[in-house]
Amino acid sequence: MMPASLALVRQAYDDPSLRARGIAWWTAGGGAAVAAGPVVGGALTTGLGWRWIFFVNIPVGVVAVIGMLRAPRSPRGQAPMDPAGQITAVLALAALVFAVINAGSSGWTDPATIAGFAVAVIVAAVFLIAESRQSNPAVPLTMFRNPAVAVCTSAGLALNLGYYGLVFVFTIFFQEHRGASALMAGLMFIPMTAFTTLVNLLAGKLTNRHGPRFPLIIGQIIQTLGILGLLFVTEDTPTPLLLVLLVPLGIGGGLAVPPLTTAMLESVPHERAGLASGVLSAARQFGGAIGVALLGALIADSAHFMTGMRISLIIGAALLVATTLGVVRFLPAGHQYVGSSAPAPRKTDADAVSAHPDGPQTR
């Protein structure tokens, strides 16, 4: 749903400024969901039981389907399935996540952990071979010859790994080390996630004015500084101060994601918008899954929870520093159209329409 919805935003707005605003609203919707999720989930878990966090998706899904019936039909293109690439990608990622989770409970030298890592490496190699030989691969490896695509994909993974991994860590911290209920733990994230939603909209304006590079760099720097500030948190840190220290994490993520999405879409030809959004969404979801698994493994030993939490913070900050340097080095300034090879001036909307009359295609 994520890449398809983003491709629809790209389809709806040919004008770059309107598209940047559309992406900002798209991201703000996700930010609002992140803000509401812990609170609603905590309330449902406390009041009705954890199973209700699944049931609540049914009415939301029905409303979304009704809304989609009003959206214009998308133009169709030739995009055959790639079973070998898709199956091996799923198996490799699942094996990796399993290995990391198992390491937290059974240790990094446990046979099942080692087997999981081995399967992940072998199947990932098969995936790369399959995609390099496929005439219509699910993930064209040639995309990553463009440094902008590679750095945007890496930044999306790093942002989600740090954000969702640390939200998971602090959820455990609030409940098991500060005695908060599930509902109270969710409420404690409201200041952080509220800023995420508000800053999403500001990021759209900054992207429209300066291009995606500047707000993406600033957002990653703020999130990095916020993570480093959390290194000083202890079990005795006053709650108001703790809530304030979490806010930069939300501001940085909220400022970085809209320009990151815009940069990814502007880094590929017009007709590959759906594919690019799919790759970015997959990288971000993979980052979130690995973040929860890896950082969760580091805090699995309750006796050394605080040490594991600080190691988690350092990992998140280090990844963001690396991707920020990558953005500085490889992402063009302004609104340049990067294309599929070397950076070049951005095409006008008329050029894009004449070159690709069918518009963006989704897989």
Side-chain angles (χ1 to χ4, degrees), residues 152-154 156-158 160-161 277-289:
C152 286
T153 305
S154 301
L157 189 152
N160 271 38
L161 189 153
S277 62
V279 169
L280 180 59
S281 292
R284 293 184 61 198
Q285 299 304 324
F286 175 54

Side-chain angles (χ1 to χ4, degrees), residues 284-320:
R284 293 184 61 198
Q285 299 304 324
F286 175 54
I290 286 295
V292 171
L294 175 61
L295 305 192
L298 292 172
I299 62 169
D301 184 357
S302 59
H304 300 91
F305 180 91
M306 296 305 297
T307 300
M309 187 174 80
R310 291 190 174 93
I311 294 174
S312 301
L313 291 165
I314 292 171
I315 290 173
L319 289 174
L320 284 170

Side-chain angles (χ1 to χ4, degrees), residues 89-110:
V90 170
L91 290 177
L93 299 183
L96 180 58
V97 172
F98 164 79
V100 175
I101 292 176
N102 193 71
S105 59
S106 303
W108 296 93
T109 58
D110 182 74

Side-chain angles (χ1 to χ4, degrees), residues 334-347:
H335 289 279
Q336 290 179 303
Y337 177 82
V338 186
S340 57
S341 56
R346 189 185 189 281
K347 294 181 181 179

Side-chain angles (χ1 to χ4, degrees), residues 17-342:
S17 61
L18 292 178
R19 184 163 60 247
R21 294 178 185 176
I23 291 173
W25 279 102
W26 178 86
T27 310
V34 171
V39 179
V40 175
L44 291 173
T45 301
T46 302
L48 299 174
W50 62 267
R51 290 174 177 82
W52 279 85
I53 66 175
F54 298 100
F55 295 149
V56 75
N57 290 286
I58 296 174
V60 175
V62 170
V63 171
V65 170
I66 293 173
M68 283 302 304
L69 295 176
R70 301 174 59 87
R73 287 184 174 271
S74 302
R76 299 190 178 195
Q78 297 299 320
M81 298 293 287
D82 175 19
Q86 292 165 329
I87 292 173
T88 53
V90 170
L91 290 177
L93 299 183
L96 180 58
V97 172
F98 164 79
V100 175
I101 292 176
N102 193 71
S105 59
S106 303
W108 296 93
T109 58
D110 182 74
T113 302
I114 296 173
F117 282 121
V119 170
V121 171
I122 293 170
V123 179
V126 174
F127 166 79
L128 294 174
I129 294 171
E131 296 304 89
S132 64
R133 297 180 177 180
Q134 178 66 257
S135 57
N136 291 285
V139 182
L141 301 181
T142 54
M143 285 181 61
F144 298 99
R145 295 176 184 173
N146 181 346
V149 171
V151 77
C152 286
T153 305
S154 301
L157 189 152
L159 283 165
N160 271 38
L161 189 153
Y163 188 91
Y164 289 104
L166 292 176
V167 166
F168 175 77
V169 168
F170 276 90
T171 299
I172 303 299
F173 177 65
F174 292 151
Q175 294 184 70
E176 295 189 2
H177 293 265
R178 295 177 68 95
S181 65
L183 175 58
M184 184 57 63
L187 291 172
M188 292 177 76
F189 286 109
I190 285 182
M192 179 188 77
T193 52
F195 273 97
T196 301
T197 305
L198 293 174
V199 175
N200 281 156
L201 302 177
L202 172 63
K205 296 182 179 180
L206 290 175
T207 302
N208 188 29
R209 178 176 299 178
H210 301 286
R213 183 175 183 267
F214 172 72
L216 178 54
I217 292 172
I218 298 301
Q220 289 186 104
I221 290 175
I222 293 174
Q223 188 165 5
T224 303
L225 294 175
I227 290 175
L228 294 176
L230 291 169
L231 285 170
F232 301 98
V233 168
T234 68
E235 294 180 349
D236 299 322
T237 300
T239 298
L241 176 58
L242 178 56
L243 300 186
V244 170
L245 289 174
L246 284 170
V247 166
L249 191 65
I251 292 176
L255 190 59
V257 172
L260 171 66
T261 308
T262 300
M264 186 68 170
L265 293 183
E266 291 188 353
S267 297
V268 298
H270 186 80
E271 76 277 10
R272 283 193 165 185
L275 177 60
S277 62
V279 169
L280 180 59
S281 292
R284 293 184 61 198
Q285 299 304 324
F286 175 54
I290 286 295
V292 171
L294 175 61
L295 305 192
L298 292 172
I299 62 169
D301 184 357
S302 59
H304 300 91
F305 180 91
M306 296 305 297
T307 300
M309 187 174 80
R310 291 190 174 93
I311 294 174
S312 301
L313 291 165
I314 292 171
I315 290 173
L319 289 174
L320 284 170
V321 168
T323 55
T324 302
L325 294 175
V327 171
V328 172
R329 173 65 179 85
F330 294 111
L331 202 64
H335 289 279
Q336 290 179 303
Y337 177 82
V338 186
S340 57
S341 56

